Amino acid sequence: MTISKLPFQFDFSLRRHNTFGIDAKTHAYLPVTSLETLQALRSDLDATRLPRLVLGGGSNLVLTQDFPGLVLHMCNRGREIVGQDEDAVYVRAAAGENWHELVLWTLEQGLAGLENLSLIPGNVGAAPIQNIGAYGIELQERFHGLTALDMESGEILHLDRDACAFAYRDSIFKHSLRDRAVVLDVTFALPKRWQPALRYADVAQELEARKLAQPTARDISDAVIAIRTRKLPDPALIGNAGSFFKNPIVTAAQRNALLVQHPQLVNYQQANGSYKLAAGWLIDQCGWKGRNLGAAGVYEKQALVLVNRGGASGQDVVRLAQAVQADVMARFGVVLEPEPIFI
């Protein structure tokens, strides 16, 4: 098989395929609708020599330049209930499914568990790679397993939670399986004995304002959607990648020292005794909320979000991110780590 036998497009613009709206191109682009597409790709010597980037919804990506290789755009579809036991109902979704649409679909089936993760941009296949999380729930808490293709060996991988080595916004796909495994589908375990996760004050306050003392999963989803809509810009209107920086984790000693100088420090104790700091609060205290640096800026309603004010390049975003990081380090001695991948 030669590269021409697959439906490649060349010199392809990715502007509509990244939520920052950055106008960068890739040398070659291939929509992936099935496992067979990837298997055919492995047989094409010309294609396998190219650098490779797997793309889902493009919501966790900063394109700093044109990509000189092959973009594999996961476009496979499908979602279904595949089983149940005493503890959970198991739902499988293809990697190319939209994440938020999956959350809404599970709620329509009467299944709870993903509601705190409503309105997170992106596709299902990227969710375990990033171990997405919001409002007190991380994907790993609802994860059962996934199927992936090892592009080097051709082996079909079946990985459970332990094998994925989940951590805060981290997984094995950012380490030993990076640039190697392509996620095909993900299976979730949605609990039958569901308990609402209301640890985050924003969610509790929104439900209180709605006079919902015993909220359903749908109520929580609606509350999360309302909160995110108020705080975060719609990528269709303002280019962005959602929360740009991870909330930094510091030791108890670091947190205590910071509290002496900054009594209003927003922090949350973790199970291991460390503390998570609110990156948005740190950035806001440095005066960045609403400020621009060239065509890139910090969103005026949420300092954790960097935005494309119109025509920003990936390098514009990088320069802004570095300036924010430098100011937070200078004032608080805390390292801010970006969430998106830089290409």
Side-chain angles (χ1 to χ4, degrees):
M1 180 176 289
T2 65
I3 197 167
S4 61
K5 294 292 181 66
L6 289 167
F8 285 86
Q9 298 180 57
F10 295 94
D11 197 27
F12 185 85
S13 173
L14 297 173
R15 186 177 64 82
R16 296 178 62 186
H17 297 288
N18 72 101
T19 59
F20 250 117
I22 294 170
D23 192 11
K25 294 182 179 181
T26 179
H27 168 66
Y29 167 89
L30 177 67
V32 177
T33 57
S34 67
L35 170 62
E36 289 70 28
T37 304
L38 294 173
Q39 290 172 327
L41 179 66
R42 290 191 66 255
S43 302
D44 192 314
L45 294 180
D46 291 328
T48 56
R49 292 190 183 103
L50 294 172
R52 187 172 61 243
L53 171 65
V54 180
L55 181 67
S59 61
N60 196 45
L61 186 67
V62 179
L63 296 168
T64 63
Q65 59 188 340
D66 289 342
F67 185 64
L70 167 63
V71 165
L72 301 178
H73 189 192
M74 300 305 295
C75 299
N76 57 335
R77 297 288 188 267
R79 55 199 182 198
E80 59 180 332
I81 297 171
V82 294
Q84 60 181 301
D85 56 26
E86 292 182 2
D87 299 319
V89 176
Y90 298 93
V91 171
R92 180 181 300 140
E97 284 285 335
N98 176 272
W99 174 261
H100 180 58
E101 291 178 6
L102 171 67
V103 173
L104 296 182
W105 181 82
T106 61
L107 293 171
E108 289 168 1
Q109 311 309 306
L111 303 175
L114 299 180
E115 58 282 345
N116 291 60
L117 306 178
S118 296
L119 211 60
I120 293 179
N123 288 0
V124 168
I129 296 173
Q130 182 74 355
N131 186 22
I132 61 172
Y135 299 108
I137 292 290
E138 285 190 333
L139 175 128
Q140 63 178 322
E141 299 172 59
R142 304 292 186 242
F143 179 86
H144 180 67
L146 61 76
T147 306
L149 176 66
D150 186 329
M151 293 296 290
E152 291 186 10
S153 68
E155 179 185 2
I156 302 294
L157 306 176
H158 300 280
L159 305 182
D160 61 14
R161 185 186 305 173
D162 290 341
C164 287
F166 290 123
Y168 177 54
R169 302 297 177 269
D170 199 16
S171 71
I172 193 172
F173 299 99
K174 292 188 175 183
H175 302 282
S176 61
L177 291 182
R178 181 172 180 172
D179 300 325
R180 178 170 177 170
V182 178
V183 175
L184 301 171
D185 58 60
V186 184
T187 302
F188 304 90
L190 303 184
K192 287 187 172 180
R193 291 179 287 276
W194 171 80
Q195 294 291 326
L198 306 176
R199 295 189 295 274
Y200 266 63
D202 284 353
V203 177
Q205 290 167 5
E206 181 70 23
L207 292 169
E208 183 179 355
R210 295 173 180 229
K211 302 187 186 319
L212 295 169
Q214 295 182 310
T216 65
R218 172 71 74 170
D219 291 333
I220 294 173
S221 175
D222 289 344
V224 168
I225 290 170
I227 294 166
R228 294 183 71 95
T229 300
R230 285 198 301 267
K231 286 188 172 183
L232 305 175
D234 182 347
L237 302 176
I238 304 174
N240 72 94
S243 298
F244 195 89
F245 296 103
K246 299 178 184 180
N247 289 318
I249 306 295
V250 299
T251 65
Q254 288 175 291
R255 174 259 192 181
N256 292 340
L258 283 168
L259 274 175
V260 172
Q261 294 182 318
H262 310 280
Q264 303 303 314
L265 179 75
V266 179
N267 64 100
Y268 306 94
Q269 187 171 14
Q270 306 300 290
N272 63 1
S274 64
Y275 284 82
K276 180 185 291 186
L277 307 182
W281 185 88
L282 300 174
I283 297 166
D284 194 6
Q285 295 302 302
C286 292
W288 274 103
K289 183 186 285 187
R291 284 179 57 191
N292 299 327
L293 192 61
V298 178
Y299 191 49
E300 53 273 13
K301 295 182 181 180
Q302 170 54 269
L304 196 54
V305 178
L306 305 190
V307 296
N308 181 352
R309 296 296 186 190
S313 67
Q315 290 299 329
D316 291 332
V317 176
V318 170
R319 280 190 289 270
L320 174 61
Q322 290 174 340
V324 170
Q325 288 171 306
D327 281 1
V328 169
M329 171 57 74
R331 181 163 182 177
F332 297 101
V334 173
V335 175
L336 288 185
E337 184 180 350
E339 284 196 23
I341 298 169
F342 293 79
I343 301 297

